[in-house]
Amino acid sequence: MEILGRERRRRWSNAEKLEIVAAVGMNGETLARVARRYDVSRSQIYQWRHLFRKRGLLPAADEPTFLPVDMGRAAERNRKVS
């Protein structure tokens, strides 16, 4: 294994963090897909979202947010097991 140099820590501005956090759920984007696109961990996005809500920079949802779920295969498996 060859080591090419020191791994550097990236610095994100608050504007960049807010952009990444806001991208989750927009046009059906999942947290995992946004994390891969920006090359950050999912836990980092959760941490930023928590921090921004705590600071009042990200509004808490007034109403529940519903996401589409496909229960077709899960329901079929449950029927076969029963």
Side-chain angles (χ1 to χ4, degrees), residues 4-57:
L4 299 175
R6 295 179 88 183
E7 185 176 324
R8 66 181 177 89
R9 190 176 264 199
R10 290 180 292 176
R11 303 276 182 210
W12 299 92
S13 70
N14 281 339
E16 290 170 321
K17 293 175 189 177
L18 279 169
E19 177 187 331
I20 293 169
V21 169
V24 176
M26 211 173 251
N27 298 324
E29 284 292 332
T30 64
L31 187 128
R33 216 178 303 159
V34 171
R36 279 192 301 270
R37 183 176 24 183
Y38 288 97
D39 194 28
V40 296
S41 69
R42 291 175 295 174
S43 62
Q44 183 66 70
I45 295 175
Y46 281 121
Q47 189 176 29
W48 289 340
R49 184 165 47 187
H50 175 75
L51 179 68
F52 288 134
R53 280 195 180 136
K54 188 175 176 181
R55 290 181 181 172
L57 297 174

